[in-house]
Every structure is written in C-alpha cells, then in structure tokens.
Amino acid sequence: MSLLKALFGPSREEIWRQLSGEVGGRFHEGGLFTQSAVQARTDDWIITLDTYTQHTGNTHQTFTRLRAPYFNPEGFRFEIYRAGLFSELGKVLGMEDIEVGHTRFDRDFVIKSNAPRRVRRLFDNRKIRHLIDAQPKIHLSVKGHDGLFGKFPAGVDELHFRSTGTIKDLAQLRTLFDLFAEVLRQVCHEGKAYEDDVRIHIRRLRAPGGRIKDKYVLWEGDGPRRDAAAALGRLGDPAAVPALASVLEDEDTLLGARAIEALARIQDRKAVAPLVRFLGDTREADGAPVGDRVADALRKLGEGELVGIVAGAFGGDFGRLKAYDGEYRAQIIEALGDALERFSGTHAANALAEIHAVEALPRLREALRSTGSGNPAGQAISSAIKALEARAALPRAAAASDVNVDTLPRSAQEPL
C-alpha cells in the first residue's frame, strides 16, 4: 500500500471504478481537460456521475453531480434540500414551499414544487424518503431543458443532484444511483411495472428521439421508442393506434417499421387510413422499403384489394383507381402526391389527373417547383396541373343545399 493511499484512502478513480461495476455501468477515464465519470442505464434513462468546478472571482469550488435527462411534457418541477440550505432557491421558478405530510421529513427538508399534489405522491414513496434521508448533503431538483448543457428536445428536462466537494463514499454513491432510479420510475411511470401498461408505452413512444450529448451521451431516445412501439403491438390495445400512426413519418425509419408491425398486430380498422398514405414510401426500414411493409400490414387488415389498386396506379394502370369509390380516396391522393418526386412521379401525376384530384393541385405545384419541367416526371406534373386547373375552373353544379327553397316557383294551389 502506498503512503498516499495509507494517508488519504483510495482515490476517486478507484472508488468510482468499483461503483461502475456495482451499478452495472461504465467508467469513463478522465483526461487532460475532462473529468472521470460513471454512467449507468436504468430502464429508459442514463444516469451520469461526474464533477465540475465553479469559479467565482479568485476562488473555485468543486461539486459532485448526478444528472439524468427524462421526458417531462407536463413541466413538473420540484426541488428538495436540507432545511437551512439554499433558502432562496426555487422562488424565481414560481415554486412554493410544500409539506408532504410526513412530519420528520417535512421538518428536516425544504420541498418546493409547481405541482403540490404530484410532489406529495412522489414523497409518499417510502423508499425515496429513506434514500434522501441517507444523504448528508443533498440538493435534488428538476432542471429546465435549456440549462447548462445545451438545448434539450422539447419536453425533456433533467433530474439533477449536486453536493459540494468530491464524493468518494462508495455506499453513499450507490445510494444516489438507487435514488435516481427510484425517482425516475416514480415521476415517469408512477412507480408501476410498466411492461403491460398501454398508457405508459404511449408516453414512451411520444418522447423525442435522437441524442443529447455533453462530454458523454446523456440521452438516447430511439431505442426506448422502438421498444414502446413493439410493446404496444404485443398488447394489442386499439387505444394505441393514434400514437403509433403519429410516428409513421418519423426520421427514424426503424421506429416506423415497428409501428407498422404493431398496427398490423392490433387489427383495428382505424389503422387503415393512416397506413394508406405510405404505400409509395421508398425509404428503407430494417431491410425493406416502408411502402412494402405498409402493403403487408394492409393485407393483414383485409385491404389487399386497396393495395392492388394503388400499386397498379404507381405502375401506370389507372383503370381500377378510376373506378374506386371507397372511403380512402383522400389517403390515396396523399400517397400519390408523396410519390411525385420519387421514381413513380410520372405515373403518380397522371393518376391524379385521371381521377380529377383537383385537391392535389397545391402538392403538384410544389413538386413542379422542385423537379422543374425538363424531365418526364416534370412534364407529367405540368400536364396534370393544366388539366386539373381547367377542371377546377368549370362551373360547379349547384347542390340541393345551395338552393334557397323560398325562391322556387309554387303551384297556384299551394298555400302561402
């Protein structure tokens, strides 16, 4: 044992390396300009432990912090610290002092929040109260999404802990990771085991995708959203259809693929309309075009004939499309409009003209601005615009609802 170790005990790096193993995390070695850190995943969240230095004039102070971004669309805020510390914090955020109904806890801690009922539910959790009470110094709060670490996606905030000095107590650090995991489960999942909870999976699906990165990756939203889509398909509840349909055009095509599979499994007729629009989508999704995946899903929903009609139009066969008088005309027109700038743009433009889709004129004009008229697709789009503009200019036959019955001629015998 070295003299320094005998005098001061294990170094921070030694303690934090051991911690990373105990929490199933990863130790990040510090460098010349970076501090060492520990990161661990729990459910959908990444918990990051590191230190930072705050400079004030000629003095500087080191803080240990933990942080974990999470989806917080309701804007729930709370702040807790031991009584006598940070007494002015929270006021500028519009938060009020709250008693949560546990006498000793209310005596020892100051709690502020913008949602009193919700913060009481949070601290009704006995395990959370116990883990907080185990911390000799604590400042635990929710930080807004435009804090020190860059702009977070809309709806994402950060659970944040800080304490002065460098924490090297292994038991205390492990308790902090346990506290973060428990608080995140409570505020995001209300402490429930969420594997079979449709409402929670819908919430997970609506969270932002992508990454938040500082020195390390702090948030990865794509994986949890894909997992949520797959879970909703497994659970088969029609209540999930609108949420699944809302991610079909997401940039994450793998998420879209999972949503398409889920809609097919749920077998609800409300899924047909949002799926039809994507029949011509050529984006790659997990080894197959999105449009092919949509066609398979629609066949499972009993719409094989509809798939054949649209596929025929993309191939230049407009006969069945012209005869179609079903309920999905608007969605077919959207699918054709989306295909104007793809490989089947010529056929899509001709199809829109053949079915007299004057409602597609704005989309056709937009496509012409993008493609120009110097290629076959552009020429077809230009011709379709002319044909549909001519049709739109024709006098419209009056509907019965347009006629004022008081102006119609009456028979001589009809009473006034």
Side-chain angles (χ1 to χ4, degrees), residues 77-358:
R77 299 278 189 275
F78 76 87
E79 184 171 25
I80 181 169
Y81 44 85
R82 287 197 175 275
L85 300 175
F86 310 113
S87 58
E88 294 303 312
L89 293 174
K91 292 182 179 179
V92 297
L93 302 177
M95 297 194 291
E96 57 179 292
D97 291 338
I98 293 167
E99 292 187 350
V100 296
H102 300 275
T103 305
R104 191 178 67 81
F105 196 75
D106 285 330
R107 181 197 68 203
D108 293 344
F109 295 94
V110 175
I111 303 164
K112 297 176 183 288
S113 179
N114 61 352
R117 290 183 182 178
R118 191 168 177 187
V119 85
R120 288 188 185 103
R121 290 199 303 271
L122 173 64
F123 292 115
D124 275 344
N125 184 315
R126 180 181 297 177
K127 184 176 181 180
I128 290 175
R129 296 199 310 275
H130 172 74
L131 291 169
I132 287 174
D133 200 28
Q135 295 300 317
K137 293 184 289 187
I138 187 168
H139 179 206
L140 182 67
S141 64
V142 177
K143 297 178 76 72
H145 59 73
D146 54 354
L148 296 176
F149 311 111
K151 188 76 172 178
F152 287 5
V156 174
D157 289 327
E158 181 182 78
L159 184 64
H160 189 275
F161 163 90
R162 76 168 187 177
S163 179
T164 54
T166 300
I167 300 177
K168 296 197 298 180
D169 185 305
L170 183 60
Q172 182 185 358
L173 291 167
R174 179 59 192 262
T175 300
L176 280 169
F177 271 84
D178 290 344
L179 172 62
F180 261 56
E182 193 67 23
V183 170
L184 288 165
R185 291 189 192 105
Q186 185 68 40
V187 297
C188 296
H189 301 159
E190 296 180 0
K192 299 176 183 176
Y194 64 89
E195 288 79 4
D196 294 331
D197 193 312
V198 170
R199 185 178 59 82
I200 289 175
H201 286 302
I202 289 174
R203 179 189 176 96
R204 296 174 71 212
L205 185 67
R206 287 176 171 159
R211 285 181 162 197
I212 299 172
K213 191 171 182 180
D214 183 20
K215 299 180 184 69
Y216 323 100
V217 174
L218 303 177
W219 158 279
E220 287 185 309
D222 294 336
R225 298 174 82 207
R226 296 167 189 166
D227 175 71
L232 290 169
R234 172 178 58 83
L235 295 171
D237 191 328
V241 168
L244 288 163
S246 72
V247 302
L248 291 177
E249 57 185 332
D250 196 274
E251 291 181 1
D252 180 8
T253 56
L254 186 53
L255 171 63
R258 297 293 170 267
I260 293 165
E261 292 164 5
L263 290 169
R265 291 185 70 180
I266 291 172
Q267 288 286 299
D268 186 84
R269 295 294 303 167
K270 293 186 180 68
V272 174
L275 283 169
V276 170
R277 176 186 168 185
F278 295 92
L279 276 169
D281 195 328
T282 57
R283 293 177 300 160
E284 193 78 8
D286 200 16
V290 170
D292 290 356
R293 292 184 174 279
V294 167
D296 289 342
L298 287 169
R299 291 187 189 100
K300 291 175 182 176
L301 288 164
E303 291 293 343
E305 183 178 355
L306 179 60
V307 171
I309 289 171
V310 179
F314 285 138
D317 178 4
F318 311 130
R320 285 191 295 167
L321 179 61
K322 290 171 69 175
Y324 177 77
D325 63 351
E327 61 183 297
Y328 302 111
R329 172 185 164 89
Q331 288 76 29
I332 292 172
I333 289 172
E334 284 189 77
L336 292 168
D338 288 343
L340 289 170
E341 297 172 53
R342 298 186 182 131
F343 73 97
S344 54
T346 299
H347 294 321
N350 291 335
L352 290 168
E354 289 285 341
I355 62 173
H356 311 309
V358 293

Side-chain angles (χ1 to χ4, degrees), residues 359-373:
E359 59 266 58
L361 275 168
R363 186 70 183 83
L364 284 159
R365 293 180 184 121
E366 178 186 338
L368 185 61
R369 284 192 292 271
S370 298
T371 63
S373 56

